[in-house]
Amino acid sequence: MKGRRIINRGVRAHAKPLLRSLSRFARRLLQEWRRLKLPTEGVTVVAVSGGADSVALMLAVDELISCQKLNITAVVAHIDHCLRRTSSADARWVKELGTRLGRPVSI
């Protein structure tokens, strides 16, 4: 059926096989990663504050590694400036996230 898009589990059937199983955010991150010619091997530090944006970035990087789209070791980095009473709780939460993902963590 030429020109018809078949949706299967939220993925278009005519999508490139390389990107088929990734979330939309991870696909877009991978496109930007490649456009910017960021390293696809070696160690990469991902700064995670504990906020929604940096956590989404870390989860997408983890997804790309798990799907073997990136061959990097992602190190989760967090700096606790101790400017808020809750900053140590943020640091603990980020450490737990990195540990659950199986990633090295540096606080």
Side-chain angles (χ1 to χ4, degrees), residues 9-77:
R9 290 192 222 175
V11 178
R12 292 185 180 126
H14 62 16
K16 294 179 182 178
L18 177 69
L19 303 178
R20 175 169 277 170
S21 63
L22 298 174
S23 68
R24 181 175 178 221
F25 184 71
R27 282 194 314 267
R28 293 186 75 185
L29 176 61
L30 183 58
Q31 289 170 350
E32 285 302 303
W33 197 285
R34 289 176 175 163
R35 185 184 69 78
L36 295 169
K37 297 182 172 115
L38 296 175
T40 57
E41 297 179 340
V43 177
T44 300
V45 176
V46 181
V48 181
S49 67
D53 294 342
S54 63
V55 170
L57 174 64
M58 184 62 245
L59 293 174
V61 168
D62 181 69
E63 184 178 350
L64 292 172
I65 293 168
S66 297
C67 290
Q68 300 178 344
K69 305 306 179 198
L70 294 178
N71 186 27
I72 62 171
T73 298
V75 177
V76 178

